[in-house]
Amino acid sequence: MPDVPRYLVPFHPKRVPHFFTDVLIIGGGLAGLRAALAVKPELSVVVITKDSVLQSNSHYAQGGVAAALGEGDRFENHVEDTLVAGGTLCDRAVVERVVREAPRRIGELIDYGVRFDRAADRLALGREGGHSHARIAHAMGDATGKEIIRAVVERVEHLPNVELWEHTFTLDLLTRDGVCRGALVWNGRHGKTAIWAKQTILATGGAGQLYRETTNPEVATGDGMALAYRAGAELRDLEFVQFHPTVLYIAGGSRHLISEATRGEGAWLVDRHGRRFMTDYDPRGELAPRDVVSLAIVSQMEKTRHTNVYLDMTHIDPQRVRSRFPGIAAVCAEFGLDITKDRIPVRPGAHYMMGGVTVDLEGRSTLPGLWAAGEVTSTGLHGANRLASNSLLEALVYGAHAGEGASAAAEDIHDSFHAPEIENPRVETASEPLNMADIGNSLKSLMWRDVGVRREAETLTDALENIEHWSRYVQVRQFAEPPGWELQNMLCIARLMIEAALARQESRGAHIRTDFPTLDEDRWRRHICFCRM
Ligand code: SIN
């Protein structure tokens, strides 16, 4: 099947407004904002986000930021836990660097005004699956992301060199002579605009919206990965999608995350008969790594012929439950559940993409002029399965390094800006209107059914054939608004994810093949990479 077109929309350099900046940051979550804080104040920065800065996975994060700060804990323990969860596709040098920087990055957040929860005179540290020690710094109980984003946005808004463009969709990276020169963006006020930048940082987050069941907000449509791919940057590890074990499952309700920290506080997983089942599957019980817990839940749902299992906190001190999880308590109360008395119906949902744009230790992608940070990347920290609460940490570390690196590189470019002549002609392919919502829903159901917690060749092949068919008439169109572009981006990434999932004939971390149930280190201790030629 033909690859995706290079650019999503037609444009002509003489017919679009041009804007010039030293550093362009695409994405307004924690990684992008932290990058903005790292750019030297004498350089100009534009931060683009397709919704408001409050719509990112970072904002919705509940758990917290992992750091070996507790009594008896050490960096080595955090390194080891990360490596055990992610397996041999983790890059040890990356893991060590990120883990060692964790206390400093949390200290920076405190300086920015983040109010982490405290116990006596120290940070209160929670526990989550796969962690051998309590080491999760959290804020406002279960509203850690919201509190961090509040403080960081406030800080960024006070920087005179940084402009924040909200509600602006990034269509494509602009490249010339194999170098990234900025991006073509769109918003309802100005239409298409070419932003020419000396250096560009991608921090657009993940692609959870590819799945019918997901904890991710609507903005997580894989745009950054797709536009990096179209521009020629390398992507890798796309078969590794983390399914969070406990997503609220109530007909008609939002798929709200029920934080793993609940199990860290002693919550149980029980089936429809009220029976605890996790130790049937793993001796670590409810605190086993996420891939293990998600698979156990799916198996128990099948065994008991029920649509979900339940999270039970009724045996924990109600006062403690309410103060530690005020957000979860409020959401459940809207559906008539008192979490101190009622069991919460849950099942797994797509949560986090381990794969993405390949970057080096400093956040440099394989495309010169393009840097990346946060969930959009594959850094080598997470391997085949991310350890809980290592993602906000990664966003902080790589946001800071990518910001510093892009800043230094932009300072080294002395020639004055000129807009390279790039254009993409209009192509007329079809007159039939497309029902985009229909294709989008079909795609999400297909991905959930065939590319979900468990995979096998037959259903993956079937999924790929469907995606290729839809792509044949969707990818050649030129849409005029975000829903069409998002659909094209989702189809682009879905195809690569399925190709990678089909190719990896083993089970590793979050990639579970029922037809290849074991780990195959000899053949598959390697990354699957994609690069558009
Ligand atoms: C959670 O609170 O369970 C999510 C934390 C994470 O995904 O790291």
Side-chain angles (χ1 to χ4, degrees), residues 24-45:
L24 169 64
I25 299 175
I26 305 169
L30 185 59
L33 296 172
R34 182 62 190 82
L37 291 172
V39 177
K40 291 215 172 132
E42 48 279 16
L43 299 181
S44 56
V45 180

Side-chain angles (χ1 to χ4, degrees), residues 465-482:
E465 279 169 12
N466 273 289
I467 305 271
E468 286 182 346
H469 179 216
W470 297 332
S471 299
R472 230 171 279 144
Y473 54 88
V474 175
Q475 295 294 17
V476 290
R477 292 204 179 205
Q478 290 178 333
F479 294 100
E481 293 202 322

Side-chain angles (χ1 to χ4, degrees), residues 70-232:
E71 231 165 274
D73 199 1
R74 296 152 52 98
F75 293 128
E76 291 76 10
N77 301 332
H78 189 179
V79 167
E80 204 44 42
D81 293 345
T82 303
L83 293 172
V84 167
T88 53
L89 286 188
C90 291
D91 179 335
R92 182 178 266 276
V94 170
V95 176
E96 287 185 353
R97 181 187 198 181
V98 172
V99 163
R100 281 192 184 277
E101 282 191 29
R104 175 173 142 218
R105 299 297 168 195
I106 289 181
E108 283 172 354
L109 289 180
I110 294 170
D111 291 344
Y112 299 158
V114 175
R115 296 162 297 197
F116 282 106
D117 296 330
R118 304 186 78 85
D121 58 342
R122 311 183 59 142
L123 286 181
L125 298 173
R127 179 108 189 254
E128 290 180 350
H131 287 276
S132 56
H133 291 73
R135 64 166 76 100
I136 319 297
H138 49 86
M140 312 282 158
D142 54 7
T144 311
K146 192 170 168 187
E147 169 61 6
I148 292 177
I149 292 294
R150 178 201 62 76
V152 176
V153 167
E154 228 172 84
R155 182 97 176 182
V156 169
E157 280 176 346
H158 279 96
L159 296 179
N161 63 322
V162 179
E163 276 186 42
L164 187 55
W165 294 18
E166 293 180 292
H167 305 286
T168 300
F169 192 95
T170 302
L171 290 153
D172 269 302
L173 296 171
L174 295 165
T175 49
R176 177 105 188 235
D177 304 328
V179 176
C180 180
R181 314 273 179 174
L184 182 70
V185 305
W186 176 95
N187 62 39
R189 271 181 60 208
H190 300 111
K192 292 172 221 166
T193 303
I195 304 186
W196 301 101
K198 292 180 177 172
Q199 299 292 313
T200 302
I201 302 173
L202 202 53
T204 47
Q209 282 294 322
L210 277 169
Y211 288 89
R212 196 188 72 206
E213 306 293 333
T214 180
T215 61
N216 288 194
E218 284 187 5
V219 291
T221 52
D223 304 323
M225 293 173 201
L227 60 90
Y229 176 71
R230 287 194 294 273

Side-chain angles (χ1 to χ4, degrees), residues 235-248:
L235 307 187
R236 70 175 190 193
D237 288 356
L238 296 180
E239 65 275 36
F240 298 115
V241 179
Q242 183 171 75
F243 295 89
H244 195 288
T246 55
V247 183
L248 183 63

